[in-house]
Amino acid sequence: MKRISKKINIRLCQLGVALLLITAIAACTKKDDYKKFIEGGEISYTGKLDSVKINSGKYRVLINGLFIADPKVKKCVVYWNNKADSVIIPVTRTPNVDTLKFFINNMKEGVQNFIIYTYDGAGNKSIPVYKTGRVYGDRYQVTLSNRAINSAFTNENGVTTLELGGMDRVSGVFATEVIYTDNANANKTVRIPINTNNFTLANFKEKGTIKYRTLFLPDTLSVDTFYTDYTSLYVPKFIKVDVTSTYLKNVGPNVSFSSINSGNRWGILSDWITSASVKNASGFGGYEKKSNVGYISLEAGWGLPNVTDGKIYQTVSLPAGNYRFEIVMTDFNAGGSRYLTVAEGTTIPNVANITSSSIAFSNLESKTLNFELLQSKQVSLGFAASLTGTGSTGQYAKIASVKLYKINYL
């Protein structure tokens, strides 16, 4: 028992000495030594720029933002190019929410990463705002091409119509600008939206020249429009001579059939060559009787199988010249691949080869096909389509009549 008591006394003595040392060290420490850890005072942050948006442009961007919370903001600093480049924007605050709109010019084309700070009068800055923007320039410009004008004519009634080709919307194309002279010798400028395929020039001065270029917005945030160079095009006047009866048969209105099914609805057209896929009503198709009137018909769905590379056409020999193939079609819906086409020989191309194997082609919805033969040729002209349908939905086109015109220019 004495040994245990002695050990406890020794431990207590050691503990007392340790407490005395800690007290002595604490007494020697200055009361304000903690301040060395926050030298320069407490950190004060300025209110940051809110709702920041970077609009793209041509060798420039537009910085957009809102000053909301901090009335002490005196300037905004924008960095880019890994902080190698910057701009200082003075700020004058009002009691209200203030808007920043500032162009940064002479920028390098490509994606740019921006860091944005605001500062008060004492030099305190905000936390950073990180944003990415895009700058467009010559690399984008050289990818742009002018939208084609497939035909431009003034008809015998003095109406001038342009037929424009299609374009890939991914490029940012949104319109074609056309400059022309009207009958009062005044210059007119019109914009034709990308979704317009046929456009009439009001009061066009006959046998004149138009200039046209195509307009692009590279993205939805772009503040700058890009343009192709102007292209000039002479617009002739013509007279249409109806040669339908000379070369084509069974053209309507009320086309006839060579045979018809037991339901007295689906039939096979007289005088037209109709491919098997169009005859999708148990061996009948290409002809449809509606309200006792016959139509050239293409249809899939509502119980009818799909039409794959469907063709309805006639083969004729035409002398050299300019021609227009026109249809009357008031009953049709969207979807599928459907074309007017003329091709050399005794058949028309499959849908996939329309662009490469046709003398000329156009979308069926345009209802007009212009083509030129430099010499007398045997050609086939008509309709090519691939249509799909399931159950109670489908795709269709009903053609009431067809015309072929010889175009004589004045």
Side-chain angles (χ1 to χ4, degrees):
M1 292 293 292
K2 289 182 178 180
R3 288 183 180 177
I4 293 173
S5 177
K6 187 175 181 180
K7 287 182 180 180
I8 291 173
N9 289 334
I10 292 171
R11 294 284 175 86
L12 289 173
C13 288
Q14 290 175 341
L15 181 59
V17 171
L19 290 172
L20 288 172
L21 288 172
I22 292 170
T23 303
I25 292 170
C28 294
T29 302
K30 295 180 180 178
K31 292 181 180 180
D32 58 356
D33 269 5
Y34 72 92
K35 291 183 180 179
K36 68 183 179 183
F37 298 108
I38 55 171
E39 290 179 359
E42 296 181 2
I43 299 174
S44 177
Y45 287 108
T46 304
K48 67 181 178 65
L49 186 65
D50 287 287
S51 305
V52 179
K53 182 173 66 175
I54 310 292
N55 289 92
S56 61
K58 187 173 184 179
Y59 291 113
R60 64 177 184 168
V61 295
L62 174 63
I63 308 292
N64 295 271
L66 299 176
F67 298 106
I68 297 176
D70 195 338
K72 303 187 299 300
V73 172
K74 297 297 183 183
K75 66 180 179 180
C76 182
V77 181
V78 182
Y79 295 92
W80 68 96
N81 193 20
N82 292 321
K83 285 195 171 183
D85 296 304
S86 63
V87 63
I88 300 173
I89 307 168
V91 176
T92 301
R93 288 302 316 273
T94 69
N96 305 311
V97 174
D98 296 309
T99 300
L100 173 69
K101 287 185 177 293
F102 188 85
F103 280 102
I104 302 178
N105 299 307
N106 303 316
M107 298 199 68
K108 183 179 178 181
E109 185 173 6
V111 175
Q112 298 287 349
N113 295 309
F114 297 91
I115 307 173
I116 305 170
Y117 293 96
T118 57
Y119 290 81
D120 63 17
N124 297 310
K125 67 179 179 180
S126 67
I127 60 174
V129 176
Y130 298 94
K131 283 291 178 180
T132 298
R134 190 173 188 94
V135 180
Y136 294 92
D138 289 345
R139 290 203 306 273
Y140 173 73
Q141 180 71 51
V142 298
T143 67
L144 308 181
S145 58
N146 212 358
R147 185 183 186 188
I149 294 181
N150 296 334
S151 67
F153 299 104
T154 302
N155 67 17
E156 62 267 39
N157 299 317
V159 178
T160 302
T161 303
L162 308 181
E163 179 192 322
L164 294 95
M167 288 194 74
D168 186 352
R169 307 291 181 89
V170 175
S171 64
V173 61
F174 70 92
T176 295
E177 182 180 86
V178 178
I179 299 176
Y180 67 97
T181 302
D182 70 7
N183 289 322
N185 290 319
N187 286 332
K188 298 291 184 181
T189 300
V190 294
R191 282 192 176 183
I192 305 172
I194 185 59
N195 58 356
T196 298
N197 296 320
N198 293 280
F199 188 84
T200 299
L201 297 179
N203 300 314
F204 178 76
K205 187 175 182 179
E206 292 180 359
K207 302 180 186 178
T209 298
I210 64 172
K211 293 197 306 179
Y212 65 98
R213 64 180 181 176
T214 307
L215 286 59
F216 299 80
L217 284 173
D219 60 50
T220 57
L221 293 177
S222 179
V223 293
D224 290 318
T225 299
F226 286 74
Y227 306 85
T228 61
D229 292 333
Y230 279 109
T231 298
S232 295
L233 179 67
Y234 173 72
V235 181
K237 183 175 182 179
F238 70 84
I239 293 177
K240 293 192 305 184
V241 179
D242 190 344
V243 295
T244 309
S245 61
T246 304
Y247 299 104
L248 300 177
K249 299 177 181 180
N250 192 25
V251 295
N254 194 18
V255 295
S256 61
F257 58 85
S258 60
S259 61
I260 195 165
N261 69 356
S262 58
N264 201 37
R265 178 180 178 184
W266 304 110
I268 295 175
L269 287 161
S270 300
D271 303 304
W272 292 84
I273 299 169
T274 304
S275 67
S277 65
V278 176
K279 301 173 186 177
N280 57 354
S282 300
F284 294 90
Y287 169 93
E288 183 182 4
K289 183 180 285 187
K290 300 177 62 179
S291 301
N292 214 34
V293 175
Y295 292 84
I296 299 171
S297 173
L298 294 157
E299 183 169 323
W302 300 281
L304 295 178
N306 294 341
V307 174
T308 302
D309 288 321
K311 303 174 185 180
I312 301 174
Y313 62 95
Q314 294 188 34
T315 299
V316 298
S317 292
L318 295 176
N322 291 279
Y323 295 88
R324 173 169 288 187
F325 184 51
E326 293 183 1
I327 64 172
V328 174
M329 181 178 66
T330 57
D331 188 14
F332 62 98
N333 68 352
S337 300
R338 303 178 290 192
Y339 297 97
L340 299 170
T341 179
V342 57
E344 187 172 358
T346 58
T347 188
I348 58 177
N350 290 338
V351 167
N353 301 322
I354 286 289
T355 58
S356 60
S357 299
S358 298
I359 294 172
F361 69 94
S362 65
N363 291 323
L364 189 65
E365 288 83 353
S366 70
K367 305 176 186 178
T368 302
L369 174 64
N370 297 294
F371 63 96
E372 181 182 11
L373 299 179
L374 299 178
Q375 60 187 31
S376 178
K377 286 182 182 293
Q378 184 185 49
V379 298
S380 297
L381 69 166
F383 319 101
S386 287
L387 308 175
T388 59
T390 57
S392 61
T393 62
Q395 298 164 350
Y396 65 92
K398 312 298 175 181
I399 299 156
S401 62
V402 171
K403 288 285 188 180
L404 181 64
Y405 295 98
K406 182 81 162 41
I407 305 298
N408 295 326
Y409 294 107
L410 300 179

